[in-house]
Amino acid sequence: MNRPPAEPGEGTVMTVRLTLLCAAAPEERDVRFGDVHLDERALRRARAVAATVAAALPEGASCRTAPSERCRRTAQALGWDAPVVEPSLRDLDLGDWRGRTLDEVASSDSAGLAAWMTDPAAAPHGGESVAEACGRVAAWLDALPPDAGRVLTVVEQAVARAAVLRALDAPLSSFWRVDVPPLCAVRLTGRSGRWNLRMGVPGTGVLGEDG
């Protein structure tokens, strides 16, 4: 006897295709912790990849952004209209270190900086530890509904790192070993509570192709 087509979730397994695009960054010698203002050069670089990003987005794809100025302006440079702001994808909260350079923190609190770089549970700045930030990002990933389809989000470097660790079930101590340059794309596929890291295909631009 013929049966009607299965509804989503009834006999079918749906795949979420998530691309995390690391926000553009200014070229400054003394980059400060926290949200940063994007200079015109950084915005030009974001506009330069806009066509590639747009070409990879099918109709109905969901465009989202972290709440920082840097991420929102990157999304604007890409030509996105009113992307959904995701508070859970905010940057690592650096507490008292916000607005200070790495050299300034190293001079005033070298022990705290060393602890922060080696102990995921440490928060010497009074803000959020690496472990807490990774847990927040992992919870957001795992809360995406199975029918989310294709999602493209502009995020901070720390969020992209946390997402990679969740996908690979890597130890939190690996956080600082994940290098995510500005405008680099991290591509994940999720199905049945499991995430996979998908590498880009050479010659296909910032986003690669889906297989």
Side-chain angles (χ1 to χ4, degrees):
M1 183 175 69
N2 293 331
R3 297 186 60 189
E7 295 294 329
E10 180 187 341
T12 61
V13 180
M14 306 186 75
T15 299
V16 178
R17 301 183 185 278
L18 172 65
T19 298
L20 302 168
L21 183 66
C22 196
E27 288 196 6
E28 299 178 0
R29 291 183 179 275
D30 297 324
V31 176
R32 298 182 179 276
F33 288 123
D35 200 0
V36 294
H37 176 75
L38 294 183
D39 55 23
E40 185 55 33
R41 179 177 295 183
L43 292 174
R44 282 200 305 269
R45 289 181 173 174
R47 295 185 193 111
V49 303
T52 302
V53 173
L57 288 177
E59 186 177 353
S62 174
C63 295
R64 312 184 188 193
T65 179
S68 69
E69 177 189 354
R70 185 166 81 117
C71 289
R72 287 186 288 107
R73 293 202 69 194
T74 298
Q76 184 180 35
L78 293 173
W80 296 2
D81 294 326
V84 175
V85 176
E86 293 284 359
S88 293
L89 298 184
R90 63 190 179 275
D91 198 8
L92 182 68
D93 180 2
L94 296 177
D96 295 337
W97 292 356
R98 282 194 300 268
R100 302 169 67 184
T101 67
L102 181 63
D103 287 343
E104 289 172 348
V105 172
S107 297
S108 62
D109 189 10
S110 59
L113 182 61
W116 183 58
M117 296 292 293
T118 55
D119 180 4
H125 40 61
E128 187 178 32
S129 70
V130 166
E132 290 170 333
C134 287
R136 165 167 53 83
V137 174
W140 181 86
L141 286 172
D142 295 341
L144 283 173
D147 61 352
R150 189 174 306 205
V151 180
L152 179 57
T153 305
V154 177
V155 297
E156 304 286 352
Q157 186 181 53
V159 171
R161 284 172 167 160
V164 170
L165 264 58
R166 168 64 186 91
L168 300 180
D169 288 328
L172 297 180
S173 57
S174 304
F175 182 82
W176 297 112
R177 301 180 66 181
V178 179
D179 187 13
V180 188
L183 298 176
C184 172
V186 174
R187 306 179 66 240
L188 305 177
T189 57
R191 180 184 298 177
S192 301
R194 175 179 176 179
W195 288 95
N196 294 321
L197 177 65
R198 191 173 193 277
M199 306 306 294
V201 180
T204 57
V206 66
L207 297 182
E209 296 177 342
D210 283 323

